[in-house]
């Protein structure tokens, strides 16, 4: 039988605020345990939550970016459950009146087609603390620094039909929240997390199959693998006459399998009710207009503009707009240097250097001004593309400073200036011809391949500095004379 | 509407309350009484009345996004029965 996969994703994005959703504690990552947990975060008796305005603004911004209505009187609700990393005994979340209502986002599929994925809702809620299960003589250690950090939970419609589509959607949201500056995109530190609801149904059947929820998958690669392995499991199960049970499953990347977390499932009865400690959140037209003014250019718009304005290929525009830091870097270079060269250098040399050292473009030793200086010298033929790589390498290793004049300083210091003086090139060519009579004879008897040998010799003699186009032309003239 | 002993036990479990077997019947009666009261409210005519999320007809006041808290870990941990390396310790939880 032919099966169809149905996937919906729940993404938890930590909002890049300074303080927590309901308290003035810092949300900075990686601090000493429990040094950023105050009486509110610890849920001491008598404390009251006070809502962070910035979290509201960020959530509204996301809603506007996905074309969703913003809930005018959205409401916080209590989701009740007991777990030691949640001292309140309930999570303050949103239930039937979320801040962001139905919106959508377009993803690009492998065949280049665009598909629209519905975003059912996005709501504000508190993150939980962390439980550490090792090394405490039969006890569990609790760190509440993360407790109360603002999260935006972004829930998709069950619109994805393959693991690849799910990853494309996840990447698109990941890109968007970083563009908006509302999330740092860090999957390793858990500031961007994903749960996947996965089911299968016979192709053509309208009704959905029973779904399993895959929890906390912390990389794009694992999302794809986890979904594929879960789909395989469900199909095998049904084909062997079994039934899929609605449950939460955990993906184990080491064994590449999903396994049941059923113990927790039985207790899931959250008894949501409006939190009496919090009033509805007022969203006014004026507020939304203010937020709309701060919306940056969104990835799809930027992509189109890069293709049109800079005449880039769709591939290059895609790579350059994949994150806002790269897009900004590119535009900073392209405003005063050749855009195509800028695109080539950023997607080529710069990317490979960054990948090799596992650096983000913001931490690149070669900044946009330095690359601009370099590209200008390629444009005005001071150096060839090949020599430019040497200059780039030197700048990468911190030679010559940190601004647009750095490339010039390196070129001067290393004497890398391209030789365009035809007299100088001619004397090198004459010498090479004089020293290699056998090759000259071969060339003149019709062995064209030897030409490359001459070019190589001249470039070598000039330490790569002779202008290649001039060398070609002059060699041709001399040898054919 | 009357709650069964099973429902009472489930509610107690969800609230993590220990109740004695012999008290279940009393709880069932008391809780059912509350539900009965709610049923009575259901009978009220609320057509054309916008539901309120909060009994106060007001909107939430917001706080500026500023870190105003300092580290008070040592003080806050004085309340905890067990701590180690800056962590609160609780009976082992697994899953």
């Amino acid at each position: 039988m032919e099966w169809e996969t149905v996937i919906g994703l729940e993404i938890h994005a930590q909002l890049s605020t300074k303080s927590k959703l309901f308290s003035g504690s810092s949300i900075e990552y990686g601090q000493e345990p429990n040094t950023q947990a105050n009486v509110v975060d610890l849920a001491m008796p008598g404390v009251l939550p006070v809502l962070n305005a910035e979290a509201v603004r960020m959530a509204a911004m996301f809603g506007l970016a996905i074309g969703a209505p913003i809930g005018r009187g959205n409401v916080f609700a209590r989701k009740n459950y007991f777990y030691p990393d949640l001292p309140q005994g309930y999570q303050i979340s949103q239930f039937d009146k979320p801040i962001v209502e139905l919106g959508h986002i377009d993803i690009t599929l492998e065949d280049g087609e665009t598909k629209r994925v519905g975003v059912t809702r996005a709501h504000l809620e508190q993150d939980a603390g962390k439980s550490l299960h090792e090394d405490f003589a039969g006890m569990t250690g609790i760190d509440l620094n993360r407790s109360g950090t603002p999260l935006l939970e972004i829930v998709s419609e069950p619109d994805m039909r393959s693991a690849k589509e799910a990853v494309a959607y996840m990447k698109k949201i990941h890109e968007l929240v970083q563009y908006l500056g509302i999330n740092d995109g860090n999957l390793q530190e858990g500031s961007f997390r994903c749960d996947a609801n996965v089911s299968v149904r016979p192709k053509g059947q309208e009704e959905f199959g029973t779904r399993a929820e895959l929890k906390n998958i912390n990389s794009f690669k694992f999302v794809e693998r986890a979904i594929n392995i879960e789909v395989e499991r469900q199909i095998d199960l049904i084909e062997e006459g079994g039934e899929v049970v609605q449950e939460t499953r955990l993906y184990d990347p080491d064994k590449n399998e999903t396994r049941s977390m059923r113990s927790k499932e039985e207790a899931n009865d959250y008894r949501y009710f409006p939190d009496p400690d919090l009033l509805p959140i007022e969203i006014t037209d004026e507020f939304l207009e203010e937020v709309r003014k701060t919306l940056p250019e969104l990835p799809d718009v930027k992509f189109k503009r890069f293709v049109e304005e800079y005449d880039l290929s769709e591939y290059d525009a895609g790579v350059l707009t994949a994150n806002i830091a790269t897009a900004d870097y590119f535009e900073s270079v392209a405003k005063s240097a050749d855009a195509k060269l800028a695109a080539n250098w950023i997607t080529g040399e710069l990317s490979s250097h960054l990948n090799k050292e596992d650096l983000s473009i913001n931490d690149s030793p070669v900044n946009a001004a330095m690359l601009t200086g370099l590209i200008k010298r390629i444009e005005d033929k001071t150096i060839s593309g090949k020599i430019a790589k040497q200059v780039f390498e030197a700048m990468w290793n911190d030679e010559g400073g940190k601004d647009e004049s750095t490339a010039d300083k390196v070129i001067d210091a290393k004497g890398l200036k391209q030789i365009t003086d035809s007299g100088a090139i001619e004397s090198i060519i004459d010498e090479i011809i004089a020293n290699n009579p056998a090759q000259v004879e071969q060339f003149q008897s019709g062995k064209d391949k030897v030409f490359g040998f001459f070019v190589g010799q001249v470039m070598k003699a000039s330490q790569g500095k002779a202008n290649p186009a001039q060398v070609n032309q002059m060699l041709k003239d001399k040898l054919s004379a | 509407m009357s709650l069964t002993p099973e429902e009472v036990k489930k509610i107690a479990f969800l609230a993590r309350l220990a109740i004695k077997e012999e008290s279940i019947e009393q709880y069932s009666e008391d809780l059912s009484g509350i539900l009965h009261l709610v049923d009575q409210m259901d009978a009220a005519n609320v057509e054309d009345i916008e539901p309120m999320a909060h009994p106060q007809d007001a909107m939430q006041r917001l706080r500026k996004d500023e870190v105003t808290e300092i580290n008070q870990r040592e003080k806050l941990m004085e309340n905890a029965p067990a701590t180690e390396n800056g962590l609160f310790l609780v009976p082992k939880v697994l899953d």
Side-chain angles (χ1 to χ4, degrees), chain A residues 316-336:
Chain A
D316 280 349
V319 175
L320 293 172
T321 54
N323 67 66
I324 195 159
T326 306
D328 287 347
Y329 189 108
F330 166 76
E331 288 218 274
S332 169
V333 177
K335 72 174 189 281
S336 50

mmCIF file with all atom_site columns, all heavy atoms in Angstrom, chain A residues 316-336:
data_model
loop_
_atom_site.group_PDB
_atom_site.id
_atom_site.type_symbol
_atom_site.label_atom_id
_atom_site.label_alt_id
_atom_site.label_comp_id
_atom_site.label_asym_id
_atom_site.label_entity_id
_atom_site.label_seq_id
_atom_site.pdbx_PDB_ins_code
_atom_site.Cartn_x
_atom_site.Cartn_y
_atom_site.Cartn_z
_atom_site.occupancy
_atom_site.B_iso_or_equiv
_atom_site.pdbx_formal_charge
_atom_site.auth_seq_id
_atom_site.auth_comp_id
_atom_site.auth_asym_id
_atom_site.auth_atom_id
_atom_site.pdbx_PDB_model_num
ATOM 1   N N   . ASP A 1 316 ? 22.751 32.090 -5.423 1.00 0.00 ? 316 ASP A N   1
ATOM 2   C CA  . ASP A 1 316 ? 23.538 33.015 -4.608 1.00 0.00 ? 316 ASP A CA  1
ATOM 3   C C   . ASP A 1 316 ? 22.650 33.838 -3.676 1.00 0.00 ? 316 ASP A C   1
ATOM 4   O O   . ASP A 1 316 ? 22.953 34.005 -2.494 1.00 0.00 ? 316 ASP A O   1
ATOM 5   C CB  . ASP A 1 316 ? 24.354 33.959 -5.499 1.00 0.00 ? 316 ASP A CB  1
ATOM 6   C CG  . ASP A 1 316 ? 25.625 33.286 -6.014 1.00 0.00 ? 316 ASP A CG  1
ATOM 7   O OD1 . ASP A 1 316 ? 25.955 32.192 -5.506 1.00 0.00 ? 316 ASP A OD1 1
ATOM 8   O OD2 . ASP A 1 316 ? 26.265 33.842 -6.921 1.00 0.00 ? 316 ASP A OD2 1
ATOM 9   N N   . ALA A 1 317 ? 21.536 34.340 -4.234 1.00 0.00 ? 317 ALA A N   1
ATOM 10  C CA  . ALA A 1 317 ? 20.632 35.157 -3.416 1.00 0.00 ? 317 ALA A CA  1
ATOM 11  C C   . ALA A 1 317 ? 20.100 34.329 -2.247 1.00 0.00 ? 317 ALA A C   1
ATOM 12  O O   . ALA A 1 317 ? 19.952 34.826 -1.133 1.00 0.00 ? 317 ALA A O   1
ATOM 13  C CB  . ALA A 1 317 ? 19.488 35.686 -4.265 1.00 0.00 ? 317 ALA A CB  1
ATOM 14  N N   . GLY A 1 318 ? 19.837 33.046 -2.499 1.00 0.00 ? 318 GLY A N   1
ATOM 15  C CA  . GLY A 1 318 ? 19.346 32.147 -1.448 1.00 0.00 ? 318 GLY A CA  1
ATOM 16  C C   . GLY A 1 318 ? 20.370 31.986 -0.342 1.00 0.00 ? 318 GLY A C   1
ATOM 17  O O   . GLY A 1 318 ? 20.051 32.078 0.844  1.00 0.00 ? 318 GLY A O   1
ATOM 18  N N   . VAL A 1 319 ? 21.615 31.746 -0.726 1.00 0.00 ? 319 VAL A N   1
ATOM 19  C CA  . VAL A 1 319 ? 22.675 31.558 0.272  1.00 0.00 ? 319 VAL A CA  1
ATOM 20  C C   . VAL A 1 319 ? 22.889 32.855 1.070  1.00 0.00 ? 319 VAL A C   1
ATOM 21  O O   . VAL A 1 319 ? 22.998 32.836 2.284  1.00 0.00 ? 319 VAL A O   1
ATOM 22  C CB  . VAL A 1 319 ? 24.004 31.138 -0.403 1.00 0.00 ? 319 VAL A CB  1
ATOM 23  C CG1 . VAL A 1 319 ? 25.126 31.065 0.619  1.00 0.00 ? 319 VAL A CG1 1
ATOM 24  C CG2 . VAL A 1 319 ? 23.847 29.793 -1.111 1.00 0.00 ? 319 VAL A CG2 1
ATOM 25  N N   . LEU A 1 320 ? 22.893 33.983 0.354  1.00 0.00 ? 320 LEU A N   1
ATOM 26  C CA  . LEU A 1 320 ? 23.197 35.253 1.014  1.00 0.00 ? 320 LEU A CA  1
ATOM 27  C C   . LEU A 1 320 ? 22.073 35.736 1.928  1.00 0.00 ? 320 LEU A C   1
ATOM 28  O O   . LEU A 1 320 ? 22.320 36.467 2.877  1.00 0.00 ? 320 LEU A O   1
ATOM 29  C CB  . LEU A 1 320 ? 23.516 36.332 -0.030 1.00 0.00 ? 320 LEU A CB  1
ATOM 30  C CG  . LEU A 1 320 ? 24.804 36.105 -0.827 1.00 0.00 ? 320 LEU A CG  1
ATOM 31  C CD1 . LEU A 1 320 ? 24.921 37.116 -1.952 1.00 0.00 ? 320 LEU A CD1 1
ATOM 32  C CD2 . LEU A 1 320 ? 26.031 36.182 0.077  1.00 0.00 ? 320 LEU A CD2 1
ATOM 33  N N   . THR A 1 321 ? 20.835 35.331 1.641  1.00 0.00 ? 321 THR A N   1
ATOM 34  C CA  . THR A 1 321 ? 19.735 35.792 2.495  1.00 0.00 ? 321 THR A CA  1
ATOM 35  C C   . THR A 1 321 ? 19.331 34.751 3.535  1.00 0.00 ? 321 THR A C   1
ATOM 36  O O   . THR A 1 321 ? 18.389 34.951 4.276  1.00 0.00 ? 321 THR A O   1
ATOM 37  C CB  . THR A 1 321 ? 18.480 36.171 1.663  1.00 0.00 ? 321 THR A CB  1
ATOM 38  O OG1 . THR A 1 321 ? 18.123 35.064 0.837  1.00 0.00 ? 321 THR A OG1 1
ATOM 39  C CG2 . THR A 1 321 ? 18.734 37.383 0.796  1.00 0.00 ? 321 THR A CG2 1
ATOM 40  N N   . ALA A 1 322 ? 20.063 33.624 3.575  1.00 0.00 ? 322 ALA A N   1
ATOM 41  C CA  . ALA A 1 322 ? 19.697 32.558 4.518  1.00 0.00 ? 322 ALA A CA  1
ATOM 42  C C   . ALA A 1 322 ? 19.785 33.031 5.964  1.00 0.00 ? 322 ALA A C   1
ATOM 43  O O   . ALA A 1 322 ? 19.083 32.533 6.824  1.00 0.00 ? 322 ALA A O   1
ATOM 44  C CB  . ALA A 1 322 ? 20.568 31.326 4.307  1.00 0.00 ? 322 ALA A CB  1
ATOM 45  N N   . ASN A 1 323 ? 20.661 33.978 6.240  1.00 0.00 ? 323 ASN A N   1
ATOM 46  C CA  . ASN A 1 323 ? 20.593 34.603 7.560  1.00 0.00 ? 323 ASN A CA  1
ATOM 47  C C   . ASN A 1 323 ? 20.905 36.081 7.432  1.00 0.00 ? 323 ASN A C   1
ATOM 48  O O   . ASN A 1 323 ? 21.578 36.511 6.492  1.00 0.00 ? 323 ASN A O   1
ATOM 49  C CB  . ASN A 1 323 ? 21.483 33.896 8.598  1.00 0.00 ? 323 ASN A CB  1
ATOM 50  C CG  . ASN A 1 323 ? 22.939 34.048 8.287  1.00 0.00 ? 323 ASN A CG  1
ATOM 51  O OD1 . ASN A 1 323 ? 23.483 35.144 8.329  1.00 0.00 ? 323 ASN A OD1 1
ATOM 52  N ND2 . ASN A 1 323 ? 23.587 32.953 7.955  1.00 0.00 ? 323 ASN A ND2 1
ATOM 53  N N   . ILE A 1 324 ? 20.390 36.841 8.349  1.00 0.00 ? 324 ILE A N   1
ATOM 54  C CA  . ILE A 1 324 ? 20.436 38.290 8.175  1.00 0.00 ? 324 ILE A CA  1
ATOM 55  C C   . ILE A 1 324 ? 21.860 38.828 8.288  1.00 0.00 ? 324 ILE A C   1
ATOM 56  O O   . ILE A 1 324 ? 22.218 39.804 7.631  1.00 0.00 ? 324 ILE A O   1
ATOM 57  C CB  . ILE A 1 324 ? 19.475 38.996 9.162  1.00 0.00 ? 324 ILE A CB  1
ATOM 58  C CG1 . ILE A 1 324 ? 19.259 40.450 8.728  1.00 0.00 ? 324 ILE A CG1 1
ATOM 59  C CG2 . ILE A 1 324 ? 19.960 38.913 10.597 1.00 0.00 ? 324 ILE A CG2 1
ATOM 60  C CD1 . ILE A 1 324 ? 18.021 41.080 9.276  1.00 0.00 ? 324 ILE A CD1 1
ATOM 61  N N   . ALA A 1 325 ? 22.704 38.155 9.074  1.00 0.00 ? 325 ALA A N   1
ATOM 62  C CA  . ALA A 1 325 ? 24.076 38.631 9.235  1.00 0.00 ? 325 ALA A CA  1
ATOM 63  C C   . ALA A 1 325 ? 24.821 38.545 7.904  1.00 0.00 ? 325 ALA A C   1
ATOM 64  O O   . ALA A 1 325 ? 25.558 39.465 7.525  1.00 0.00 ? 325 ALA A O   1
ATOM 65  C CB  . ALA A 1 325 ? 24.794 37.812 10.307 1.00 0.00 ? 325 ALA A CB  1
ATOM 66  N N   . THR A 1 326 ? 24.619 37.439 7.178  1.00 0.00 ? 326 THR A N   1
ATOM 67  C CA  . THR A 1 326 ? 25.276 37.277 5.876  1.00 0.00 ? 326 THR A CA  1
ATOM 68  C C   . THR A 1 326 ? 24.733 38.299 4.881  1.00 0.00 ? 326 THR A C   1
ATOM 69  O O   . THR A 1 326 ? 25.483 38.899 4.105  1.00 0.00 ? 326 THR A O   1
ATOM 70  C CB  . THR A 1 326 ? 25.058 35.846 5.340  1.00 0.00 ? 326 THR A CB  1
ATOM 71  O OG1 . THR A 1 326 ? 25.478 34.919 6.331  1.00 0.00 ? 326 THR A OG1 1
ATOM 72  C CG2 . THR A 1 326 ? 25.849 35.606 4.068  1.00 0.00 ? 326 THR A CG2 1
ATOM 73  N N   . ALA A 1 327 ? 23.413 38.501 4.910  1.00 0.00 ? 327 ALA A N   1
ATOM 74  C CA  . ALA A 1 327 ? 22.794 39.468 3.997  1.00 0.00 ? 327 ALA A CA  1
ATOM 75  C C   . ALA A 1 327 ? 23.341 40.873 4.255  1.00 0.00 ? 327 ALA A C   1
ATOM 76  O O   . ALA A 1 327 ? 23.672 41.606 3.316  1.00 0.00 ? 327 ALA A O   1
ATOM 77  C CB  . ALA A 1 327 ? 21.275 39.433 4.165  1.00 0.00 ? 327 ALA A CB  1
ATOM 78  N N   . ASP A 1 328 ? 23.455 41.245 5.517  1.00 0.00 ? 328 ASP A N   1
ATOM 79  C CA  . ASP A 1 328 ? 23.978 42.568 5.867  1.00 0.00 ? 328 ASP A CA  1
ATOM 80  C C   . ASP A 1 328 ? 25.440 42.714 5.434  1.00 0.00 ? 328 ASP A C   1
ATOM 81  O O   . ASP A 1 328 ? 25.855 43.748 4.926  1.00 0.00 ? 328 ASP A O   1
ATOM 82  C CB  . ASP A 1 328 ? 23.875 42.809 7.387  1.00 0.00 ? 328 ASP A CB  1
ATOM 83  C CG  . ASP A 1 328 ? 22.436 43.043 7.815  1.00 0.00 ? 328 ASP A CG  1
ATOM 84  O OD1 . ASP A 1 328 ? 21.585 43.258 6.925  1.00 0.00 ? 328 ASP A OD1 1
ATOM 85  O OD2 . ASP A 1 328 ? 22.162 43.002 9.038  1.00 0.00 ? 328 ASP A OD2 1
ATOM 86  N N   . TYR A 1 329 ? 26.207 41.667 5.667  1.00 0.00 ? 329 TYR A N   1
ATOM 87  C CA  . TYR A 1 329 ? 27.619 41.654 5.273  1.00 0.00 ? 329 TYR A CA  1
ATOM 88  C C   . TYR A 1 329 ? 27.722 41.888 3.769  1.00 0.00 ? 329 TYR A C   1
ATOM 89  O O   . TYR A 1 329 ? 28.477 42.751 3.295  1.00 0.00 ? 329 TYR A O   1
ATOM 90  C CB  . TYR A 1 329 ? 28.225 40.302 5.673  1.00 0.00 ? 329 TYR A CB  1
ATOM 91  C CG  . TYR A 1 329 ? 29.730 40.180 5.527  1.00 0.00 ? 329 TYR A CG  1
ATOM 92  C CD1 . TYR A 1 329 ? 30.563 40.153 6.644  1.00 0.00 ? 329 TYR A CD1 1
ATOM 93  C CD2 . TYR A 1 329 ? 30.314 40.054 4.268  1.00 0.00 ? 329 TYR A CD2 1
ATOM 94  C CE1 . TYR A 1 329 ? 31.942 40.026 6.521  1.00 0.00 ? 329 TYR A CE1 1
ATOM 95  C CE2 . TYR A 1 329 ? 31.694 39.921 4.133  1.00 0.00 ? 329 TYR A CE2 1
ATOM 96  C CZ  . TYR A 1 329 ? 32.499 39.904 5.253  1.00 0.00 ? 329 TYR A CZ  1
ATOM 97  O OH  . TYR A 1 329 ? 33.861 39.771 5.130  1.00 0.00 ? 329 TYR A OH  1
ATOM 98  N N   . PHE A 1 330 ? 26.925 41.123 3.021  1.00 0.00 ? 330 PHE A N   1
ATOM 99  C CA  . PHE A 1 330 ? 26.951 41.254 1.559  1.00 0.00 ? 330 PHE A CA  1
ATOM 100 C C   . PHE A 1 330 ? 26.614 42.681 1.134  1.00 0.00 ? 330 PHE A C   1
ATOM 101 O O   . PHE A 1 330 ? 27.316 43.281 0.325  1.00 0.00 ? 330 PHE A O   1
ATOM 102 C CB  . PHE A 1 330 ? 25.977 40.261 0.913  1.00 0.00 ? 330 PHE A CB  1
ATOM 103 C CG  . PHE A 1 330 ? 25.714 40.565 -0.540 1.00 0.00 ? 330 PHE A CG  1
ATOM 104 C CD1 . PHE A 1 330 ? 26.658 40.249 -1.514 1.00 0.00 ? 330 PHE A CD1 1
ATOM 105 C CD2 . PHE A 1 330 ? 24.536 41.197 -0.933 1.00 0.00 ? 330 PHE A CD2 1
ATOM 106 C CE1 . PHE A 1 330 ? 26.431 40.552 -2.853 1.00 0.00 ? 330 PHE A CE1 1
ATOM 107 C CE2 . PHE A 1 330 ? 24.306 41.508 -2.259 1.00 0.00 ? 330 PHE A CE2 1
ATOM 108 C CZ  . PHE A 1 330 ? 25.256 41.187 -3.222 1.00 0.00 ? 330 PHE A CZ  1
ATOM 109 N N   . GLU A 1 331 ? 25.544 43.220 1.685  1.00 0.00 ? 331 GLU A N   1
ATOM 110 C CA  . GLU A 1 331 ? 25.114 44.551 1.236  1.00 0.00 ? 331 GLU A CA  1
ATOM 111 C C   . GLU A 1 331 ? 26.142 45.610 1.594  1.00 0.00 ? 331 GLU A C   1
ATOM 112 O O   . GLU A 1 331 ? 26.327 46.580 0.861  1.00 0.00 ? 331 GLU A O   1
ATOM 113 C CB  . GLU A 1 331 ? 23.752 44.903 1.828  1.00 0.00 ? 331 GLU A CB  1
ATOM 114 C CG  . GLU A 1 331 ? 22.663 44.090 1.172  1.00 0.00 ? 331 GLU A CG  1
ATOM 115 C CD  . GLU A 1 331 ? 21.388 44.887 0.946  1.00 0.00 ? 331 GLU A CD  1
ATOM 116 O OE1 . GLU A 1 331 ? 20.577 44.946 1.886  1.00 0.00 ? 331 GLU A OE1 1
ATOM 117 O OE2 . GLU A 1 331 ? 21.215 45.436 -0.152 1.00 0.00 ? 331 GLU A OE2 1
ATOM 118 N N   . SER A 1 332 ? 26.802 45.403 2.708  1.00 0.00 ? 332 SER A N   1
ATOM 119 C CA  . SER A 1 332 ? 27.811 46.348 3.124  1.00 0.00 ? 332 SER A CA  1
ATOM 120 C C   . SER A 1 332 ? 28.973 46.351 2.117  1.00 0.00 ? 332 SER A C   1
ATOM 121 O O   . SER A 1 332 ? 29.526 47.396 1.794  1.00 0.00 ? 332 SER A O   1
ATOM 122 C CB  . SER A 1 332 ? 28.268 45.970 4.530  1.00 0.00 ? 332 SER A CB  1
ATOM 123 O OG  . SER A 1 332 ? 29.391 46.676 4.893  1.00 0.00 ? 332 SER A OG  1
ATOM 124 N N   . VAL A 1 333 ? 29.335 45.175 1.590  1.00 0.00 ? 333 VAL A N   1
ATOM 125 C CA  . VAL A 1 333 ? 30.399 45.099 0.590  1.00 0.00 ? 333 VAL A CA  1
ATOM 126 C C   . VAL A 1 333 ? 29.895 45.623 -0.757 1.00 0.00 ? 333 VAL A C   1
ATOM 127 O O   . VAL A 1 333 ? 30.555 46.422 -1.427 1.00 0.00 ? 333 VAL A O   1
ATOM 128 C CB  . VAL A 1 333 ? 30.905 43.638 0.430  1.00 0.00 ? 333 VAL A CB  1
ATOM 129 C CG1 . VAL A 1 333 ? 31.970 43.553 -0.666 1.00 0.00 ? 333 VAL A CG1 1
ATOM 130 C CG2 . VAL A 1 333 ? 31.460 43.107 1.748  1.00 0.00 ? 333 VAL A CG2 1
ATOM 131 N N   . ALA A 1 334 ? 28.682 45.172 -1.133 1.00 0.00 ? 334 ALA A N   1
ATOM 132 C CA  . ALA A 1 334 ? 28.180 45.451 -2.485 1.00 0.00 ? 334 ALA A CA  1
ATOM 133 C C   . ALA A 1 334 ? 27.812 46.919 -2.689 1.00 0.00 ? 334 ALA A C   1
ATOM 134 O O   . ALA A 1 334 ? 27.640 47.352 -3.819 1.00 0.00 ? 334 ALA A O   1
ATOM 135 C CB  . ALA A 1 334 ? 26.980 44.559 -2.787 1.00 0.00 ? 334 ALA A CB  1
ATOM 136 N N   . LYS A 1 335 ? 27.709 47.693 -1.612 1.00 0.00 ? 335 LYS A N   1
ATOM 137 C CA  . LYS A 1 335 ? 27.340 49.104 -1.817 1.00 0.00 ? 335 LYS A CA  1
ATOM 138 C C   . LYS A 1 335 ? 28.496 49.892 -2.426 1.00 0.00 ? 335 LYS A C   1
ATOM 139 O O   . LYS A 1 335 ? 28.276 50.910 -3.063 1.00 0.00 ? 335 LYS A O   1
ATOM 140 C CB  . LYS A 1 335 ? 26.824 49.742 -0.522 1.00 0.00 ? 335 LYS A CB  1
ATOM 141 C CG  . LYS A 1 335 ? 27.861 50.013 0.543  1.00 0.00 ? 335 LYS A CG  1
ATOM 142 C CD  . LYS A 1 335 ? 27.210 50.791 1.700  1.00 0.00 ? 335 LYS A CD  1
ATOM 143 C CE  . LYS A 1 335 ? 28.236 51.282 2.694  1.00 0.00 ? 335 LYS A CE  1
ATOM 144 N NZ  . LYS A 1 335 ? 28.700 50.255 3.640  1.00 0.00 ? 335 LYS A NZ  1
ATOM 145 N N   . SER A 1 336 ? 29.735 49.399 -2.249 1.00 0.00 ? 336 SER A N   1
ATOM 146 C CA  . SER A 1 336 ? 30.819 50.153 -2.882 1.00 0.00 ? 336 SER A CA  1
ATOM 147 C C   . SER A 1 336 ? 31.789 49.273 -3.695 1.00 0.00 ? 336 SER A C   1
ATOM 148 O O   . SER A 1 336 ? 32.807 49.750 -4.160 1.00 0.00 ? 336 SER A O   1
ATOM 149 C CB  . SER A 1 336 ? 31.583 50.973 -1.836 1.00 0.00 ? 336 SER A CB  1
ATOM 150 O OG  . SER A 1 336 ? 31.932 50.172 -0.753 1.00 0.00 ? 336 SER A OG  1
#
